[in-house]
């Protein structure tokens, strides 16, 4: 209820003080979705169901679909498969660690099709030129939320190759802002409506980053040949990170290549298709060889990013990753449906009160909401295995009676170990729940306390309501 004052109807329970520190051995581990990461072979799906071959575009790894191996089962050169992305596909295939397929029909998640997203670790969207349907957007976002990797490659604004009134900039922005899963800037960036004619954007200096310094080489520069950039919004997603920037830009503007996370999954953005174009393809297409451009390291960037999206290496923010890890969800009682167990919580925080609705089920964690000076806490300690990438996620609803648009009177602080992940306030009030996610891979090999601390001022209530938490490792 928006702006409603919380009554002092806290649940009384003898269990309030029994939220003991939970180690990995004591956790009741449950998986909440189909694991997106394969144990050995990385499964990558390239989309070709949204006009990726329209006009001069030829954004396919092979003309043999869905299985490129039907064209050549043991490719050694880019011309062994036909398509402007054949170098990308062949280079992955030659490692022996990847299984590649091409989707030519509507994208689904949880269906029976051989190209259903539940069968893959990574989805590549190489400059789509038709809008995704409502069902497709739900499938894509759910796939990422449940641990999948999403590689979005745009092109410059106005690159409407099939003349349907939509270009990749509009289509990918529509995916991020107009879906049924989370339309509140879930990845923490938007694609700019620009046409940048040329340039060699430079990589940032980050020796720990698996995309810039991975098994396929070190990334120093990329290539723009009519492309665009992204504007980053770390306030919406703290894990967004620019890796390659247009000359003269840094920070939150001019990001030509960026990574982020969503739920348990990973996201990568590239502002132009020219870097992955290898200059070979089907007859009649005018192509550009950016893959082998000697002034850039586009191949290393594409291949490292694919590996990272599929679960290899550290996260975009560095730390964690690598090694052997069993995919799992580590938090006990993640949706609070077992009542006041597992978590250590202030009296009455874990509640089934209907004054604030749960996102799912009956229970949620409701911090503050009194309209008087008050502090509530909620915490759980968890052991994150070594060699794992780890993502903390939760849904947050902020309800306030405060009317200010500039002053944070009431605050919720989220910490993992000694690291403050985020601080929310009455200024973040919204009508529903919003998914928040954070990379906590740097805590792999340690036991860390996940803690939510809500501090309310002396007048006008602000309620911080949490539900459906998760700490996913892979």
């Amino acid at each position: 209820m928006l702006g409603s004052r919380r009554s002092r109807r806290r649940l009384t329970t003898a269990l309030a003080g029994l939220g003991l520190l939970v180690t990995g051995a004591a956790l009741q581990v449950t998986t909440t979705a189909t694991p997106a990461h394969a144990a050995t072979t990385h499964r990558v799906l390239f989309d070709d169901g949204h006009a990726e071959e329209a006009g001069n575009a030829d954004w396919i790894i092979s003309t043999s679909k869905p299985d490129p191996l039907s064209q050549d089962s043991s490719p050694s050169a880019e011309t062994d498969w036909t398509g402007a992305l054949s170098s990308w596909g062949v280079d992955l295939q030659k490692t022996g660690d990847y299984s590649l397929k091409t989707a030519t029909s509507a994208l689904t998640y949880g269906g029976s099709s051989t190209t259903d997203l539940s069968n893959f670790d990574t989805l590549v969207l190489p400059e789509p030129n038709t809008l995704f349907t409502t069902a497709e957007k739900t499938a894509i976002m759910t796939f990422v939320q449940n641990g999948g990797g999403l590689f979005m490659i745009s092109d410059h604004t106005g690159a409407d190759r099939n003349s349907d009134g939509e270009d990749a900039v509009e289509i990918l922005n529509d995916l991020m802002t107009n879906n049924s899963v989370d339309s509140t800037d879930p990845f923490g960036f938007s694609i700019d409506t620009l046409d940048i004619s040329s340039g060699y954007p430079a990589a940032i200096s980050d020796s720990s980053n698996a995309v810039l310094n991975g098994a396929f080489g070190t990334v120093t520069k990329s290539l723009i040949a009519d492309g665009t950039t992204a504007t980053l919004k770390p306030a919406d997603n703290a894990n967004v990170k620019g890796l390659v920037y247009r000359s003269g830009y840094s920070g939150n503007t001019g990001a030509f290549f960026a990574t982020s996370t969503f739920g348990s999954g990973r996201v990568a953005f590239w502002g132009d298709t020219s870097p992955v174009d290898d200059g070979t393809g089907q007859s009649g297409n005018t192509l550009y060889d950016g893959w082998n451009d000697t002034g850039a390291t586009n191949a290393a960037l594409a291949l490292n990013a694919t590996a990272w999206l599929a679960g290899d290496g550290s996260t975009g923010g560095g730390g964690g990753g690598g090694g052997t890890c069993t995919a799992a969800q580590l938090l006990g009682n993640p949706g609070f449906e077992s009542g006041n167990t597992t978590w250590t919580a202030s009296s009455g925080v874990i509640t089934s009160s209907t004054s604030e609705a749960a996102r799912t089920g009956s229970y949620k964690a409701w911090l503050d909401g009194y309209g008087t000076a008050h502090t509530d806490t909620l915490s759980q300690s968890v052991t994150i295995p070594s060699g794992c990438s780890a993502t903390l996620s939760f849904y947050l609803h902020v309800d306030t009676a405060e009317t200010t648009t500039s002053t944070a009177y009431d605050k919720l602080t989220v910490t993992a170990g000694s690291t403050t992940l985020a601080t929310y306030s009455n200024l973040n009030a919204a009508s529903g729940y919003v998914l928040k996610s954070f990379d906590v891979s740097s805590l792999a090999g340690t036991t860390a306390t996940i803690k939510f601390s809500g501090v309310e001022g002396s007048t006008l209530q602000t309620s911080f309501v949490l539900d459906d938490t998760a700490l996913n490792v892979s």
Side-chain angles (χ1 to χ4, degrees):
M1 295 175 61
L2 214 96
S4 63
R5 178 167 180 168
R6 187 176 188 175
S7 62
R8 290 187 174 274
R9 80 297 158 263
R10 297 283 194 173
L11 298 178
T12 57
T13 171
L15 295 176
L18 296 182
L20 302 177
L21 296 182
V22 181
T23 64
L27 286 173
Q28 298 298 310
V29 176
T30 58
T31 54
T32 58
T34 302
H37 296 295
T40 52
T41 303
H42 297 313
R43 305 160 299 173
V44 182
L45 182 67
F46 286 80
D47 181 48
D48 186 33
H50 297 86
E52 281 91 351
E53 297 178 68
N56 281 325
D58 194 42
W59 312 133
I60 57 174
I61 57 173
S62 169
T63 51
S64 177
K65 310 164 194 174
D67 190 356
L69 296 179
S70 295
Q71 182 174 10
D72 190 318
S73 60
S74 184
S76 59
E78 63 184 46
T79 52
D80 290 339
W81 288 354
T82 305
L85 305 185
S86 61
S87 286
W88 190 353
V90 169
D91 283 353
L92 291 174
Q93 183 65 36
K94 287 193 297 185
T95 69
D97 296 329
Y98 291 82
S99 173
L100 311 177
K101 296 291 188 294
T102 299
T104 58
S105 56
L107 296 169
T108 60
Y109 182 76
S112 58
S113 168
T114 57
T115 56
D116 185 86
L117 290 174
S118 63
N119 298 320
F120 295 89
D121 304 303
T122 301
L123 170 65
V124 180
L125 301 178
E127 196 192 334
N129 250 256
T130 59
L131 286 166
F132 297 103
T133 66
T134 299
E136 286 181 310
K137 288 185 286 188
T138 299
I140 295 168
M141 297 299 291
T142 304
F143 165 70
V144 181
Q145 185 180 47
N146 288 345
L150 177 63
F151 205 150
M152 299 190 298
I153 305 175
S154 183
D155 207 279
H156 62 89
T157 188
D160 180 8
R161 299 180 185 275
N162 61 341
S163 302
D164 68 344
E166 305 289 347
D167 57 39
V169 173
E170 297 165 323
I171 291 162
L172 294 175
N173 277 334
D174 177 72
L175 168 64
M176 295 185 286
T177 62
N178 183 27
N179 67 80
S180 64
V181 178
D182 189 338
S183 293
T184 59
D185 192 23
F187 305 155
F189 66 84
S190 60
I191 303 173
D192 302 325
T193 54
L194 296 174
D195 184 351
I196 305 164
S197 61
S198 62
Y200 283 94
I204 64 170
S205 177
D206 187 348
S207 60
S208 68
N209 189 280
V211 175
L212 298 180
N213 299 275
F216 293 97
T218 298
V219 176
T220 57
K221 289 186 177 181
S222 187
L223 163 77
I224 297 180
D226 286 315
T228 189
T229 55
T231 297
L232 311 186
K233 303 173 185 178
D236 294 339
N237 187 324
N239 291 330
V240 69
K241 185 178 181 70
L243 301 186
V244 179
Y245 283 87
R246 180 185 179 190
S247 179
Y249 291 79
S250 62
N252 295 333
T253 59
F256 184 57
F257 195 103
T259 59
S260 189
T261 63
F262 175 61
S264 303
R266 298 172 172 184
V267 179
F269 159 80
W270 209 339
D272 194 359
T273 43
S274 295
V276 291
D277 187 341
D278 64 19
T280 68
Q282 299 175 83
S283 177
N285 290 322
T286 302
L287 302 174
Y288 179 91
D289 190 359
W291 187 266
N292 299 299
D293 191 302
T294 57
T297 48
N298 295 315
L301 183 53
L303 297 168
N304 285 342
T306 308
W308 176 77
L309 288 168
D312 278 356
S314 64
T315 66
T324 300
C325 183
T326 300
Q329 195 292 108
L330 300 183
L331 289 178
N333 192 19
F336 309 106
E337 295 306 309
S338 297
N340 201 12
T341 64
T342 307
W343 295 90
T344 298
S346 300
S347 177
V349 162
I350 297 177
T351 175
S352 59
S353 167
T354 57
S355 297
E356 287 283 359
R359 178 179 177 271
T360 58
S362 300
Y363 282 82
K364 69 276 174 184
W366 181 357
L367 290 81
D368 297 331
Y370 285 97
T372 59
H374 188 83
T375 298
D376 275 330
T377 60
L378 173 74
S379 64
Q380 182 178 147
S381 291
V382 59
T383 298
I384 303 174
S386 297
C388 286
S389 293
T391 301
L392 172 69
S393 63
F394 54 88
Y395 282 86
L396 173 65
H397 169 50
V398 181
D399 174 344
T400 189
E402 300 283 2
T403 58
T404 178
T405 59
S406 59
T407 305
Y409 290 114
D410 314 307
K411 297 180 180 180
L412 176 74
T413 302
V414 185
T415 57
S418 61
T419 301
T420 297
L421 300 177
T423 299
Y424 304 102
S425 73
N426 47 281
L427 301 178
N428 299 112
S431 59
Y433 282 90
V434 178
L435 178 65
K436 307 294 183 180
S437 63
F438 302 90
D439 168 38
V440 291
S441 300
S442 61
L443 299 175
T446 70
T447 297
T449 298
I450 307 301
K451 186 175 183 179
F452 302 87
S453 301
V455 178
E456 192 172 19
S458 59
T459 60
L460 298 178
Q461 75 86 25
T462 297
S463 296
F464 300 101
V465 191
L466 302 163
D467 205 355
D468 300 324
T469 67
L471 204 168
N472 288 292
V473 296
S474 60

